[in-house]
């Protein structure tokens, strides 16, 4: 991977860094979010009578709620995802720069200075991801709870053309195949049992879900808020640890091999961009497969509506999935994840390098400008 070393008079303008990072990460979130929603619903249906087929999940959601139903929780997820990604890569870049300059010892990373580029990238990428994974957990929990919430709109037409909304937001999510789960109803703090038809055409479900008490409606009553928001933290950490070493190692190693052989193998492209994309595709696919079981367990824990934290330990949930669905149950939603991660993973480092390149400024000129302004 091309790592542009900062010169003695160069520095990264983090205002630019975060601005460019925000803009460039916003579009992919909205493009791929419907696939993410479908994946979450697939995994939530494990152990129930509902289908885990991607096409059936999407068809059912669109039929009931329209395309908008595939974007539930996108705002919450975008906020957490962009923030987490910016923190992740800025932390990774700062640590990598210190190691390359021989200043890693002060952070306990001196041993990395003598390691290969592959090891450095894999370790620092994972360390940065672990640091930011805790930041992402509450956003994941809330967005996934919203993704699997169902709006069953039952219409009873009378002479006054009144629509009955008493069945709004009914959800059934099972974490066990052996016991019957109660039905949890998510509603607003207002009575919306009857709404005129000319109003329900303009009815915006997201306003209900984003009311000031919507989080308390999502969580079980006997679970403290902080424990609810950090459900699946252990499974999420295992997901991170199983994903990023595989991703960074595979990417760096593959890119090095492609560079060494690009003149020996005729069909290999010569541009760094195309080589980076090829390495990113393989890295994204590899990391997605290695982390799939932990992603399934994390989702099952985070979308659960049953009270009692004891039943939500990651090992218990994983065992229950294997008992009801077999090993294949731990790979439900894998195809959807590949559709998300492979395209993004193929461009991940290229985007990171471009954002970094656009954010480099001459530190001497900046200091002079600041003095002149004073």
């Amino acid at each position: 991977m091309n790592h542009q070393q900062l010169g003695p008079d160069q520095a990264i303008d983090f205002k630019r860094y975060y601005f460019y990072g925000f803009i460039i990460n916003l579009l992919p979130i909205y493009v791929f979010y419907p696939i993410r929603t479908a994946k979450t619903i697939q995994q939530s249906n494990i152990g129930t009578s509902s289908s885990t087929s991607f096409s059936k999940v999407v068809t059912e959601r669109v039929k009931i709620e329209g395309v908008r139903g595939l974007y539930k929780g996108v705002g919450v997820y975008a906020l957490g995802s962009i923030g987490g990604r910016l923190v992740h890569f800025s932390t990774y870049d700062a640590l990598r720069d210190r190691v390359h300059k021989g200043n890693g010892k002060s952070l306990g990373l001196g041993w990395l200075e003598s390691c290969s580029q592959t090891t450095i990238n894999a370790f620092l990428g994972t360390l940065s991801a672990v640091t930011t994974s805790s930041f992402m957990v509450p956003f994941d929990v809330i967005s996934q709870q919203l993704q699997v919430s169902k709006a069953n709109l039952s219409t009873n037409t009378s002479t006054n053309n009144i629509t009955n909304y008493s069945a709004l937001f009914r959800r059934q999510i099972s974490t066990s195949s052996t016991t019957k789960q109660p039905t949890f109803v998510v509603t607003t703090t207002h009575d919306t049992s009857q709404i005129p038809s000319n109003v329900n055409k303009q009815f915006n479900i997201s306003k209900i879900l984003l009311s000031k008490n919507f989080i308390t409606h999502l969580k079980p009553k006997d679970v403290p808020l902080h424990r609810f928001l950090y459900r699946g933290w252990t499974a999420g950490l295992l997901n991170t640890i199983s994903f990023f070493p595989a991703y960074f190692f595979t990417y760096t190693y593959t890119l090095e091999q492609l560079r060494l052989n690009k003149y020996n193998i005729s069909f290999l492209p010569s541009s760094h961009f195309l080589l980076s994309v090829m390495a990113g595709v393989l890295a994204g696919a590899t990391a997605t497969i290695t982390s799939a079981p932990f992603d399934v367990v994390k989702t099952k824990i985070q979308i659960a509506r049953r009270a009692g934290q004891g039943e939500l330990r990651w090992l218990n949930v994983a065992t229950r999935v294997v008992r009801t669905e077999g090993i294949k149950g731990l790979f439900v939603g894998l195809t959807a994840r590949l559709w998300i991660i492979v395209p993004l993973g193929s461009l991940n480092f290229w985007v990171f390098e471009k954002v970094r390149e656009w954010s480099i400024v001459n530190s001497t000129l900046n200091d002079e400008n600041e003095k002149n302004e004073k």
Side-chain angles (χ1 to χ4, degrees), residues 206-226:
S206 64
K207 289 181 180 179
I208 290 179
L209 293 175
L210 295 177
S211 65
K212 64 181 180 179
N213 293 321
F214 84 101
I215 295 180
T216 58
H217 285 306
L218 293 174
K219 78 176 189 68
K221 292 182 179 180
D222 64 339
V223 178
L225 181 61
H226 70 279

Side-chain angles (χ1 to χ4, degrees), residues 44 155 192 207 247 286-287 367:
S44 73
T155 304
T192 58
K207 289 181 180 179
Y247 177 81
T286 302
D367 292 340

Side-chain angles (χ1 to χ4, degrees), residues 58-323:
V58 172
T59 301
E60 181 182 357
R61 175 56 64 94
V62 173
K63 184 178 180 181
I64 296 175
E65 302 182 43
V67 175
R68 181 183 298 179
L70 296 174
Y71 282 92
K72 285 183 174 181
V74 66
V76 176
Y77 177 78
L79 182 64
S81 179
I82 294 175
R85 183 172 287 268
L86 292 177
V87 172
H88 177 204
F89 272 104
S90 59
T91 302
Y92 168 73
D93 189 50
L95 292 175
R96 190 176 64 168
D97 199 52
R98 289 184 70 91
V99 171
H100 277 282
K101 290 181 177 179
N103 299 324
K105 190 173 182 180
S106 60
L107 298 175
L109 299 174
W111 61 275
L112 274 177
E113 295 172 9
S114 59
C115 294
S116 66
Q117 189 65 45
T118 302
T119 303
I120 292 174
N121 287 344
F123 182 82
L124 293 183
T126 304
L127 180 62
S128 303
V130 168
T131 303
T132 57
S133 63
S134 295
F135 171 83
M136 276 296 299
V137 173
F139 296 97
D140 272 342
V141 170
I142 296 172
S143 64
Q144 289 184 140
Q145 288 275 340
L146 295 177
Q147 283 176 326
V148 297
S149 63
K150 296 180 181 179
N152 298 327
L153 307 182
S154 59
T155 304
N156 296 326
T157 306
S158 66
T159 56
N160 293 326
N161 196 22
I162 299 296
T163 303
N164 184 355
Y165 277 78
S166 59
L168 261 178
F169 303 112
R170 181 163 296 173
R171 298 184 49 210
Q172 291 183 331
I173 299 175
S174 173
T175 57
S176 173
S177 61
T178 57
T179 58
K180 293 183 178 180
Q181 305 300 318
T183 298
F184 293 89
V185 181
V186 183
T187 63
T188 63
T189 56
H190 306 289
D191 183 8
T192 58
S193 59
Q194 290 186 332
I195 301 177
S197 60
N198 64 333
V199 175
N200 64 44
K201 291 180 181 179
Q202 305 295 328
F203 194 71
N204 190 344
I205 295 174
S206 64
K207 289 181 180 179
I208 290 179
L209 293 175
L210 295 177
S211 65
K212 64 181 180 179
N213 293 321
F214 84 101
I215 295 180
T216 58
H217 285 306
L218 293 174
K219 78 176 189 68
K221 292 182 179 180
D222 64 339
V223 178
L225 181 61
H226 70 279
R227 296 192 70 178
F228 171 73
L229 292 177
Y230 277 89
R231 273 184 166 179
W233 180 83
T234 301
L237 186 62
L238 292 171
N239 182 39
T240 298
I241 293 173
S242 61
F243 181 91
F244 283 96
Y247 177 81
F248 280 95
F249 182 88
T250 303
Y251 175 85
T252 307
Y253 179 78
T254 304
L255 186 59
E256 288 177 352
Q257 294 302 310
L258 289 174
R259 283 176 176 169
L260 290 173
N261 294 283
K262 66 180 179 180
Y263 298 113
N264 300 327
I265 303 177
S266 59
F267 64 83
L268 284 180
S270 57
S271 72
H272 169 72
F273 170 74
L274 293 177
L275 292 177
S276 179
V277 169
M278 292 174 67
V281 167
L282 183 59
T286 302
T288 301
I289 294 170
T290 58
S291 62
F294 298 110
D295 180 70
V296 170
V297 173
K298 177 178 73 72
T299 300
K300 291 291 288 182
I301 293 174
Q302 291 180 340
I303 64 171
R305 297 299 304 278
R306 293 186 63 189
Q309 292 293 305
E311 298 181 6
L312 297 178
R313 293 173 182 168
W314 74 269
L315 186 57
N316 292 347
V317 173
T319 302
R320 192 177 300 126
V321 169
V322 173
R323 186 183 302 128

